[in-house]
Amino acid sequence: MKSLHALALAAAMLVCPSWIPTAFAEPYLVLVEQPGCVYCERWHSEIGPAYPKTDEGQFAPLIRADLREGPPDGIAYARRVLFTPTFVLVEDGQEQARIEGYPGEDFFWPLLTKLLEDNTDFSSPTEAETVRN
């Protein structure tokens, strides 16, 4: 069922990307970034390729948003985003929590897992089951 949902999401992204946030109630992780952001580039090179393959990435698919353009259609931030990258956890179009900045690969995963566990029904797998890259 999860793969069917992922297929439907991928199809929706191709047809109408702005429709995604309002179409599903599941949590999303909005990556707010801007051109020239060195830490955004680091996140994309260190985390980006692995993210959709992880339990976290499958639980909260990534949506990218430009800082200057504001939140994607159907999404409301609890407060203004000032730093990039900022990772905003969104459910039902409303911000639940956020991570401001990118502390590096070793710190990002535990911060993200805690964010998801504290604000959703996400449950992380045991350490032996976790494979990142």
Side-chain angles (χ1 to χ4, degrees):
M1 185 66 171
K2 196 161 197 143
S3 61
L4 181 60
H5 180 75
L7 183 60
L9 178 62
M13 288 173 63
L14 292 173
V15 175
C16 186
S18 64
W19 175 71
I20 295 167
T22 57
F24 301 100
E26 76 178 337
Y28 288 91
L29 187 67
V30 179
L31 165 55
V32 183
E33 57 190 339
Q34 65 181 324
C37 171
V38 175
Y39 293 101
C40 299
E41 292 172 15
R42 276 190 56 206
W43 186 90
H44 283 293
S45 67
E46 296 172 4
I47 304 293
Y51 184 79
K53 301 172 192 172
T54 64
D55 291 325
E56 293 86 349
Q58 290 177 10
F59 183 83
L62 187 72
I63 297 173
R64 294 172 65 180
D66 188 287
L67 175 69
R68 292 180 184 94
E69 293 178 14
D73 291 341
I75 292 178
Y77 299 147
R79 64 183 194 279
R80 190 171 147 209
V81 176
L82 300 173
F83 306 100
T84 58
T86 294
F87 304 89
V88 181
L89 177 63
V90 173
E91 191 164 11
D92 294 323
Q94 299 297 312
E95 177 178 341
Q96 304 301 308
R98 66 173 65 183
I99 298 171
E100 293 178 318
Y102 174 61
E105 184 175 12
D106 293 335
F107 294 100
F108 177 78
W109 291 114
L111 284 172
L112 177 62
T113 299
K114 177 139 179 59
L115 181 91
L116 293 174
E117 289 175 342
D118 289 352
N119 296 283
T120 68
D121 61 355
F122 179 77
S123 178
S124 64
T126 63
E127 192 63 35
E129 297 173 356
T130 305
V131 177
R132 297 273 186 233
N133 293 330

